Amino acid sequence: MSQPNGGTFDIVILGAGSGGYAAALRAAELDLSVALIDKAELGGTCLHRGCIPTKALLHAAEVAEQTREAEQFGIKAELLSIDMAGVNAYKDGVVARLYKGLTGLLTHNKNITVVAGEGKLVGKDTVEVAGQRYTGRNVILASGSYSRSLPGLEVDGKRVITSEHALRLDRVPASAIVLGGGVIGVEFASVWKSFGADVTILEALPRLVAAEDEEISKQLERHFRKRKINFKVGKPFEKVEYTDNGVRATIQGGETVEAEVLLVAVGRGPTTAGLGYEQQGITLDRGFVITNERLHTGVGNIYAVGDIVPGLQLAHRGFAQGIFVAEEIAGLRPAPIDEAGIPRVTYCDPEIASMGLTEGRAKEKYGDDKISTYNYNLGGNGKSQILKTQGFVKLVRLNDGPVLGVHMIGARMSEQVGEAQLIYNWEAFPEEVAQLVHAHPTQNEALGEAFLALAGKPLHAHS
């Protein structure tokens, strides 16, 4: 259903990514009328240029590694080549099927009017698209984010690229520099290495995935050394120059690295410039929209969700915020979202999954003497041995109190974070989790064994 000539709605939503479309679907369930406006495809960055296509590439990379290493399982196999046309067809097929399903959900909903076009906030209750005005009793800003660069670093889309360009490459680069050792950087480094590229990560901070628990970072660095993924940490990037065959990057101290391409993976910035937010009195900080804990901007009935709100830039965070705001507008008074209660996953090889506070953050908040931790090595887990993966589960608890953090590294750890988020968000005590029975043999048992140990009854405990 579309309405190109404007109109008045219960909610006008600017942006149809994870936050915007979730708000639209939940509001429609609550019998509110919605105008959902976006200049690009429904589903936003996550579906088309982020989470879904990158994870498809990571799975293809996993298949390549499994083929290369099949002999250790008694399987004779040979990896002949990486067919990027075939990989991209697989990736694009996944995106297309999900896009078709989402489009059907939104466009066939009687309470949702989908408006294709570039919107701008022109009043405290109005978004204008191509000269037509859409007025909302409430407005939700969900305009998403873009791939950031650094001052003076020009992205040409060929030799100096962002993740969007990397997802469209028709070849595996022979060599690549990845500028940034956060989530996006280590995921693409992992993919390209599995596909046969020579990869070097440059990270200004002292360690890779610096937002994670320090022990998780150290374990990832050990794995990457073993995989021959090069990385240089603690030295800021200074400049990039073109060479005959690619690029040359210089880091602090004058050290240089050469490669065919340089991927700029220094994070994502909020898409708010030129959309009229400040003109309506909305407070921005470095481009981010400032809200209260109920995601209200302090102006009229305007809310903001997703990557434009300071905090974790995760699709599932935006999705949860979209549902929250729809219910807030409907008068349901939902509980505020605890940012620390949102699962975090990095899908490189090995995978990282975490919940809650790191050991360092917990000690800062409660004091060193109030915190206990326990590391359960996957060497004691049968399924992990079957998979030939290494890593650990790390628990952080408040002494005589609940679990404050769960941090995991190893193959398929993303699939364990669901239980971890229940443990954290329900403020469970280790003694309570230790009573739960975990199926054998599963990697999920590693969580169970870790909690048994933290509760004072370790069984398959390996140091």
Side-chain angles (χ1 to χ4, degrees):
M1 180 179 179
S2 64
Q3 184 175 328
N5 299 317
T8 300
F9 301 83
D10 292 318
I11 307 177
V12 172
I13 303 172
L14 183 53
S18 300
Y21 86 70
L25 288 171
R26 183 64 181 126
E29 283 181 342
L30 296 169
D31 206 27
L32 299 174
S33 60
V34 177
L36 181 62
I37 300 166
D38 203 299
K39 66 180 179 180
E41 315 95 328
L42 297 173
T45 294
C46 173
L47 177 54
H48 299 280
R49 296 169 295 281
C51 324
I52 298 301
T54 56
K55 277 52 182 180
L57 281 185
L58 281 155
H59 181 63
E62 181 184 15
V63 172
E65 288 286 9
Q66 288 177 339
T67 304
R68 193 178 284 120
E69 298 171 358
E71 191 168 354
Q72 65 179 318
F73 300 101
I75 307 297
K76 298 287 187 180
E78 183 180 358
L79 180 63
L80 299 177
S81 65
I82 304 296
D83 173 17
M84 279 309 298
V87 170
N88 285 331
Y90 152 69
K91 165 180 63 69
D92 295 343
V94 173
V95 172
R97 285 189 293 276
L98 291 171
Y99 176 55
K100 181 179 179 181
L102 178 62
T103 300
L105 272 177
L106 292 167
T107 58
H108 295 151
N109 192 303
K110 65 181 178 61
N111 287 335
I112 299 175
T113 297
V114 175
V115 182
E118 188 166 351
K120 182 176 181 178
L121 189 68
V122 295
K124 291 180 172 56
D125 60 357
T126 303
V127 175
E128 184 173 281
V129 183
Q132 301 298 323
R133 295 198 164 201
Y134 297 83
T135 300
R137 297 176 184 88
N138 302 272
V139 174
I140 301 175
L141 307 178
S143 44
S145 61
Y146 65 93
S147 293
R148 289 179 52 236
S149 187
L150 295 176
L153 178 56
E154 184 179 348
V155 174
D156 66 6
K158 296 179 180 178
R159 297 193 196 186
V160 180
I161 63 176
T162 66
S163 58
E164 285 90 342
H165 303 115
L167 286 167
R168 297 195 298 267
L169 282 181
D170 59 2
R171 70 191 190 287
V172 178
S175 56
I177 299 166
V178 177
L179 181 57
V183 173
I184 297 170
V186 299
E187 288 186 351
F188 271 100
S190 189
V191 166
W192 280 338
K193 184 62 181 180
S194 294
F195 285 170
D198 181 24
V199 181
T200 301
I201 302 171
L202 305 179
E203 171 55 60
L205 293 174
R207 54 192 173 91
L208 298 181
V209 290
E212 296 292 341
D213 190 272
E214 187 170 353
E215 288 187 282
I216 294 287
S217 291
K218 289 178 179 177
Q219 183 75 4
L220 180 67
E221 290 176 356
R222 283 193 289 271
H223 275 283
F224 273 18
R225 288 190 192 98
K226 187 176 180 181
R227 293 185 61 194
K228 294 183 170 54
I229 296 175
N230 306 305
F231 56 90
K232 300 178 185 296
V233 298
K235 294 184 178 180
F237 168 84
E238 290 189 343
K239 65 179 180 178
V240 64
E241 305 163 285
Y242 286 177
T243 65
D244 290 343
N245 300 312
V247 293
R248 179 189 302 114
T250 304
I251 59 176
Q252 189 179 73
E255 186 177 358
T256 62
V257 182
E258 294 192 18
E260 182 181 329
V261 297
L262 182 144
L263 171 67
V264 182
V266 293
R268 298 186 64 83
T271 302
T272 54
L275 297 181
Y277 295 175
E278 283 185 294
Q279 289 87 330
Q280 301 307 320
I282 291 169
T283 301
L284 300 184
D285 180 6
R286 297 169 295 114
F288 289 97
V289 177
I290 303 304
T291 72
N292 63 15
E293 68 171 4
R294 306 199 73 77
L295 301 174
H296 190 271
T297 63
V299 176
N301 290 324
I302 303 176
Y303 298 81
V305 301
D307 285 359
I308 62 172
V309 179
L312 298 167
Q313 290 182 309
L314 299 170
H316 47 284
R317 172 182 179 253
F319 188 85
Q321 289 179 334
I323 294 170
F324 173 91
V325 169
E327 293 181 351
E328 178 80 351
I329 290 170
L332 301 184
R333 297 294 294 172
I337 297 168
D338 175 10
E339 290 273 317
I342 299 172
R344 307 179 297 276
V345 182
T346 303
Y347 293 86
C348 55
D349 176 17
E351 288 186 346
I352 298 168
S354 55
M355 278 298 313
L357 303 181
T358 63
E359 179 181 353
R361 289 286 305 280
K363 287 181 175 179
E364 285 175 16
K365 184 172 182 178
Y366 295 100
D368 290 12
D369 60 336
K370 300 291 178 61
I371 299 301
S372 297
T373 67
Y374 182 78
N375 285 20
Y376 176 77
N377 194 302
L378 294 182
N381 178 257
K383 188 61 179 285
S384 295
Q385 290 302 301
I386 290 168
L387 295 173
K388 287 186 175 289
T389 188
Q390 296 177 336
F392 59 86
V393 173
K394 177 175 181 175
L395 306 180
V396 180
R397 80 168 296 180
L398 183 65
N399 292 339
D400 300 319
V403 177
L404 300 175
V406 181
H407 309 277
M408 301 174 282
I409 184 167
R412 305 183 184 179
M413 286 297 106
S414 60
E415 301 301 332
Q416 311 311 317
V417 81
E419 180 177 346
Q421 78 154 322
L422 291 176
I423 290 165
Y424 172 85
N425 284 297
W426 284 345
E427 299 180 349
F429 281 52
E431 295 78 9
E432 295 172 320
V433 182
Q435 297 176 45
L436 302 177
V437 178
H438 294 76
H440 176 76
T442 63
Q443 286 186 289
N444 190 228
E445 281 181 288
L447 270 174
E449 293 275 357
F451 279 101
L452 279 168
L454 196 56
K457 39 187 176 183
L459 296 181
H460 301 94
H462 287 234
S463 59

